[in-house]
Amino acid sequence: MMRSVGTLTRADLAETINRKMGFSRAESLDMVEAILDKMSDALSRGENVKISGFGSFVLRDKNERIGRNPKTGVEVPITPRRVMTFRASQLLKERISKG
């Protein structure tokens, strides 16, 4: 059975930049923050974010629809909203499947 080993964090990403690029720990963390801020800003403006060879963060606007409370069976309107999904690139899918 395959299972997840751990969680990659901002600190881990900064550590990698620190080791591979030689920036200080503070500079490395600033760089990670700047990248995440740039991605977040784009998404909040309604732009999709595509990172070649990795995947895409895709926004979708969902219309109002009727849902149902599973406990009571009562119909309730679900308000329109924007949702974000992640679509892995073919390259990433292949890397993941190889383990």
Side-chain angles (χ1 to χ4, degrees):
M1 183 173 90
M2 284 193 290
R3 62 178 201 79
S4 145
V5 179
T7 303
L8 183 72
T9 65
R10 291 169 190 237
D12 297 328
L13 294 172
E15 177 66 25
T16 301
I17 292 170
N18 169 255
R19 276 202 323 269
K20 293 199 172 188
M21 307 298 290
F23 292 105
S24 75
R25 281 192 171 18
E27 287 171 325
S28 299
L29 200 52
D30 285 349
M31 201 173 289
V32 171
E33 290 298 332
I35 292 165
L36 294 175
D37 282 348
K38 183 86 173 161
M39 290 169 67
S40 299
D41 289 348
L43 290 163
S44 67
R45 286 193 309 270
E47 297 173 39
N48 293 331
V49 173
K50 181 177 182 176
I51 300 171
S52 184
F54 183 73
S56 300
F57 295 90
V58 181
L59 297 169
R60 262 190 37 224
D61 289 315
K62 291 187 146 190
N63 295 323
E64 180 166 348
R65 61 192 170 90
I66 298 296
R68 193 180 295 274
N69 180 325
K71 277 191 178 153
T72 62
V74 174
E75 288 190 347
V76 288
I78 297 173
T79 55
R81 64 201 189 286
R82 177 171 280 168
V83 296
M84 183 188 70
T85 59
F86 177 75
R87 291 203 198 120
S89 72
Q90 198 53 48
L91 208 67
L92 182 59
K93 286 179 187 173
E94 287 164 13
R95 275 187 73 172
I96 291 169
S97 71
K98 286 178 188 157

